[in-house]
């Protein structure tokens, strides 16, 4: 059995989610290359050692560069804030390590381009890279894409996508790095807007070609955990309309101020033959309207996406025994390991991540110009 040693950088929310996935991928997916959770890297010695212990990593490092020097590590998993992605990913790929990098790929288009260049150099040597748009791996989302590709929706006319959270709606919620443009790149736009862009493009197989956007920062200053206040330099909400390369219209909304909505990624796609709808807060369900059904009984029907024939579902439990948020990360890692084993290029690639980054940049550009139309570079 071939193995690959994994070194992960960062152990906050995403680090915990990825650790859970690295621990569960072998028993459920029996991957052809088995991961060995070799080391966790973080800045503070006692904290990273405690986290490594708790999350299942065999050792801890206080400098991520040490992971690149170790021969027992062949894959780097980047779970840091956005400002660390480009430096770590480029160095890791140049050192011949496979890379899984959290989304959004980078904080700027220039960083993302450098990462794609490194990924291309590495690919020529058989080294793989992937960006972690985990919602592609919700079984219902993968099924939605399959239905579109099979032509069950016909020509796609409308995409309607929202990502609604409310964790910042209270102005007393403390400032974090996610509110700092230098560290996070942008606010709701890059954090959750990137997910709806990727999910919409993944499901439809189309890309956003141009946008008109509006962003808003409702609370420009927040209490700093160390005392005093700190300035919020990112958007709290981003709204934009767009047109796709193939001529569909799209409406997107990403906000952290939708009171009562916790983690609601909703998408509806309308085509000439039918429609589908999905909400992450009910992630085992896909709603499908087949416009070719008899008019009297036609309508949206709820598909419970837990059958063994459904994407990923067969690896888990019997039908109806629902899956959750964390499974998407296990699926992502299972696919990455399969690609490493069979020599194919895993998706979403760094090039896919760059394309999303270009949409984010177009949104920012349009919003800064009072919602003027902004073409997406390269589309
Ligand atoms: C925080 O808003 C966050 O955790 C995002 O960073 C994730 O990517 C998203 O999946 C859930 O919300």
């Amino acid at each position: 059995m071939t193995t690959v040693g994994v070194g992960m950088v960062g152990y906050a929310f995403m680090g915990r989610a990825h650790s859970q996935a690295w621990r569960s991928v072998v028993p459920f997916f029996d991957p052809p290359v088995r991961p060995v959770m070799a080391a966790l890297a973080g800045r503070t010695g006692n904290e990273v050692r405690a986290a490594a212990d708790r999350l299942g990593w065999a050792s801890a490092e206080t400098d991520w560069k040490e992971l690149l020097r170790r021969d027992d590590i062949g894959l780097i998993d980047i779970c840091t804030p956005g400002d660390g992605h480009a430096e770590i990913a480029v160095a890791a790929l140049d050192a011949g390590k496979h890379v899984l990098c959290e989304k959004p790929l980078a904080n700027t288009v220039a960083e993302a381009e450098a990462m794609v260049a490194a990924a291309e150099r590495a690919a020529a040597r058989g080294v793989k890279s992937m960006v972690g748009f985990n919602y592609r791996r919700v079984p219902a989302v993968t099924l939605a894409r399959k239905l579109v590709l099979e032509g069950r929706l016909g020509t796609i006319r409308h995409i309607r996508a929202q990502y609604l959270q409310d964790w910042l709606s209270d102005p007393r919620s403390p400032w974090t790095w996610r509110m700092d443009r230098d560290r996070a790149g942008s606010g709701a736009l890059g954090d959750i807007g990137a997910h709806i862009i990727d999910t919409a493009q993944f499901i439809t197989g189309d890309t956003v070609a141009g946008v008109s956007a509006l962003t808003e920062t409702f609370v420009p200053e927040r209490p700093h955990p160390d005392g005093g206040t700190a300035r919020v330099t990112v958007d709290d909400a981003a709204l934009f309309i767009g047109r796709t390369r193939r001529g569909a219209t799209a409406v997107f909304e990403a906000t952290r101020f939708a009171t009562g909505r916790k983690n609601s990624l909703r998408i509806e796609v309308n085509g000439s033959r039918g429609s589908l709808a999905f909400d992450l807060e009910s992630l085992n369900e896909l709603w499908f309207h087949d416009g070719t059904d008899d008019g009297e009984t036609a309508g949206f029907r709820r598909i419970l996406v837990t059958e063994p024939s459904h994407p990923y579902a067969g690896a888990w439990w019997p039908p109806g025994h629902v899956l959750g948020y964390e499974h998407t990360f296990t699926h992502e890692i299972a696919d990455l390991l399969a690609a490493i084993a069979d020599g194919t290029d895993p998706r979403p690639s760094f090039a896919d991540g760059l394309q999303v980054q270009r949409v984010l940049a177009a949104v920012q550009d349009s919003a800064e110009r009072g919602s003027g139309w902004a073409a997406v570079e390269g589309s």
Side-chain angles (χ1 to χ4, degrees), residues 24-40:
S24 60
V25 72
V26 170
F28 288 94
F29 283 86
D30 192 18
V33 174
R34 287 197 173 204
V36 176
M37 294 171 70
L40 177 65

Side-chain angles (χ1 to χ4, degrees), residues 40-317:
L40 177 65
R43 266 188 272 254
T44 319
N46 53 342
E47 286 177 21
V48 70
R49 275 190 296 277
D53 228 35
R54 198 175 66 247
L55 297 172
W57 298 89
S59 65
E61 301 285 358
T62 51
D63 181 357
W64 60 264
K65 294 192 177 107
E66 207 45 54
L67 302 177
L68 309 193
R69 289 183 206 113
R70 283 177 52 165
D71 292 337
D72 65 326
I73 291 179
L75 190 155
I76 304 294
D77 183 0
I78 304 171
C79 292
T80 66
D83 62 339
H85 291 186
E87 186 190 3
I88 302 170
V90 171
L93 290 166
D94 285 346
K97 316 284 187 193
H98 307 295
V99 171
L100 171 60
C101 182
E102 254 310 317
K103 49 53 61 179
L105 184 62
N107 279 2
T108 65
V109 168
E111 284 176 353
E113 283 170 348
M115 294 168 83
V116 169
E120 282 167 1
R121 288 195 295 277
R125 299 150 65 199
V127 176
K128 308 292 178 193
S129 49
M130 186 193 220
V131 58
F133 282 115
N134 58 305
Y135 295 137
R136 288 186 176 208
R137 266 80 187 189
V138 175
V141 170
T142 312
L143 177 62
R145 173 181 164 86
K146 182 169 172 273
L147 294 178
V148 171
L149 292 185
E150 285 171 359
R152 303 285 296 274
L153 271 73
T155 305
I156 305 301
R157 309 281 195 218
H158 293 300
I159 298 166
R160 221 163 283 114
Q162 297 173 314
Y163 202 147
L164 311 177
Q165 297 182 341
D166 72 353
W167 59 283
L168 280 184
S169 58
D170 183 347
R172 291 165 306 182
S173 293
W175 188 92
T176 76
W177 66 268
R178 290 181 187 272
M179 277 137 254
D180 179 2
R181 188 167 175 154
D182 289 341
R183 299 215 65 199
S186 62
L189 174 62
D191 184 29
I192 51 179
H195 273 307
I196 44 177
I197 296 165
D198 183 70
T199 306
Q201 296 188 147
F202 174 69
I203 289 176
T204 59
D206 199 356
T207 51
V208 177
V211 296
S212 168
L214 179 71
T215 58
E216 187 59 63
T217 304
F218 299 110
V219 180
E221 209 165 274
R222 287 186 178 270
H224 195 283
D226 299 337
T229 58
R231 240 164 48 80
V232 173
T233 50
V234 298
D235 59 282
D236 287 330
L239 291 79
F240 52 103
I241 57 168
R243 191 176 287 120
T244 68
R245 205 167 27 88
R246 292 197 206 119
T249 66
V251 185
F252 294 92
E253 179 181 15
T255 177
R256 294 161 165 169
F257 280 68
T259 40
R261 301 292 175 203
K262 298 301 166 185
N263 201 36
S264 182
L265 184 164
R266 303 159 174 205
I267 182 156
E268 179 162 316
V269 179
N270 308 125
S272 55
R273 292 188 55 186
S275 295
L276 50 82
F278 169 79
D279 185 342
L280 185 65
E281 287 184 350
S282 305
L283 67 77
N284 291 273
E285 298 173 8
L286 181 66
W287 292 83
F288 176 50
H289 164 66
D290 186 339
T292 65
D293 279 351
D294 162 56
E296 221 162 28
T297 52
F300 275 95
R301 63 173 182 260
R302 171 180 163 271
I303 304 169
L304 188 62
V305 192
T306 58
E307 294 298 315
S309 57
H310 285 140
Y312 305 107
W316 297 99
W317 316 117

